[in-house]
Amino acid sequence: MNALPDIDAVETAARRIAPWVRRTVILQSASLDALAGCELVFKCENFQRVGAFKFRGACNAVFSLDDADAARGIATQSSGNHGAAIARAAQLRGVPAYVVVPTSIAATKRAAIARYGARVIDCAPTMAARNAGMAEVIAETGAVAVHPFDDARVIAGQGTATLELLEQVTAPLDVVVAPVSGGGLLSGTAIAAHGRSTHIQVWGAEPASAADAQASLAQGRRITEWPIDTICDGLRATLGELPFAILREHATGVATATEDQIVAAMRLMFERLKLVVEPSAAVALAAILAHPEPFTGKRVGVIVSGGNLDLERLPWQ
């Protein structure tokens, strides 16, 4: 799937996955608005099936296949949430799933992939090893590849979260902010947002220690070699080709946050919103609080990407 998706693809995805996905709630907090200097609207994808937005893209990819291709099984590589999403979508479709995961994966996320019935294949904790492992599985099984972010079907599915958000708000948004790693969520967010209004600014958020997307967009080329070291286990990939092409056209910018700022934002979301979120889901709020100038006085939608937190490894213990 190499063609760039558009708003029609996102709307088609929304119709396709409607029987399977949850229409997640939005939440607001006056105290967080006061801290941020803007009005924040949180789209709570931590309440999505499998605990993350990833189910949207996985579901769209799996259910877009014809019966013959689906019967071959689905192969992917993942640091956790996408793998669980593919496993669950394949389970619902009644077809096999094969998920290559790095040895650094959180135990809770690995267990979720296995619980949904997928075959789990371990690899070294690098993107090269993940991609090589996925290629080996496809060669062995003949399964259909569904990349976690460099896949138009996945990107279109991820964009449905923003379509819902724009339907749910009571007044127009000025900005939408989403985490960025491989870029599937942010690029889908951008397509959906600008498909509804070209006036909406689209900002990415990423850890300062994994700021390849910010650097890639600033330099106009994909930076694929980056010494990524972050608590955000869902944000350790580098920007994919399709997302990069989309974000070069649609993204306003990418803001970063330090590890301490991400942990602090995560605690704030626990305390003020009563939300269990993983570190990757707190990076958007952390970046807004760290760099308030682009957001001051605006209505800002925030995609809360997931809640699959390892409770044995809380970062403030």
Side-chain angles (χ1 to χ4, degrees), residues 5-301:
D6 55 16
I7 187 60
D8 290 339
V10 177
E11 292 172 344
T12 298
R15 292 189 294 269
R16 177 181 290 124
I17 68 179
W20 313 108
V21 301
R22 292 174 181 154
R23 187 177 176 87
T24 54
V25 299
I26 59 173
L27 292 177
Q28 293 189 257
S29 165
S31 65
L32 289 180
D33 290 353
L35 279 175
C38 58
E39 185 178 355
L40 300 167
V41 183
F42 295 90
K43 178 63 169 167
C44 299
E45 286 294 292
N46 54 312
F47 294 135
Q48 188 53 260
R49 296 181 79 164
V50 312
F53 76 94
K54 291 282 192 177
F55 185 67
R56 294 176 180 273
C59 199
N60 187 49
V62 169
F63 281 92
S64 69
L65 297 173
D66 62 33
D67 289 344
D69 281 340
R72 293 160 50 195
I74 314 298
T76 195
Q77 53 92 348
S78 171
S79 61
N81 288 336
H82 174 73
I86 285 290
R88 181 57 175 144
Q91 186 181 60
L92 290 169
R93 184 88 193 255
V95 299
Y98 310 91
V99 183
V100 176
V101 302
T103 52
S104 57
I105 188 174
T108 51
K109 293 184 177 182
R110 191 183 198 284
I113 296 169
R115 187 169 65 248
Y116 292 127
R119 174 181 159 194
V120 183
I121 303 99
D122 293 311
C123 71
T126 66
M127 281 302 297
R130 285 162 56 173
N131 288 328
M134 181 176 165
E136 289 175 9
V137 168
I138 292 168
E140 173 192 339
T141 65
V144 176
V146 177
H147 195 275
F149 48 83
D150 239 344
D151 187 305
R153 302 162 299 187
V154 170
I155 292 169
Q158 316 304 28
T160 64
T162 295
L163 278 190
E164 282 186 12
L165 170 62
L166 296 176
E167 292 169 358
Q168 291 169 301
V169 293
T170 56
L173 296 177
D174 302 304
V175 185
V176 180
V177 184
V180 57
S181 178
L185 174 61
L186 185 61
S187 56
T189 297
I191 291 167
H194 287 168
R196 290 290 181 262
S197 172
T198 56
H199 298 295
I200 299 174
Q201 294 185 351
V202 178
W203 279 83
E206 67 184 341
S209 57
D212 65 287
Q214 184 186 66
S216 294
L217 292 172
Q219 297 183 30
R221 63 183 181 90
R222 285 176 62 233
I223 297 174
T224 57
E225 298 297 325
W226 191 277
I228 293 172
D229 181 19
T230 176
I231 191 175
C232 302
D233 62 319
L235 303 180
R236 293 174 182 162
T238 53
L239 195 61
E241 292 182 11
L242 291 183
F244 178 63
I246 294 165
L247 294 175
R248 288 189 72 181
E249 179 179 353
H250 290 282
T252 305
V254 177
T256 64
T258 67
E259 300 295 285
D260 287 345
Q261 289 167 338
I262 293 166
V263 172
M266 186 177 168
R267 286 198 67 149
L268 280 172
M269 295 175 77
F270 270 58
E271 294 169 355
R272 308 294 176 87
L273 294 168
K274 315 307 177 190
L275 288 181
V276 175
V277 297
E278 57 192 276
S280 302
V283 71
L285 175 60
I288 291 167
L289 294 174
H291 305 281
E293 296 83 5
F295 313 106
T296 300
K298 296 178 180 177
R299 283 177 51 80
V300 182

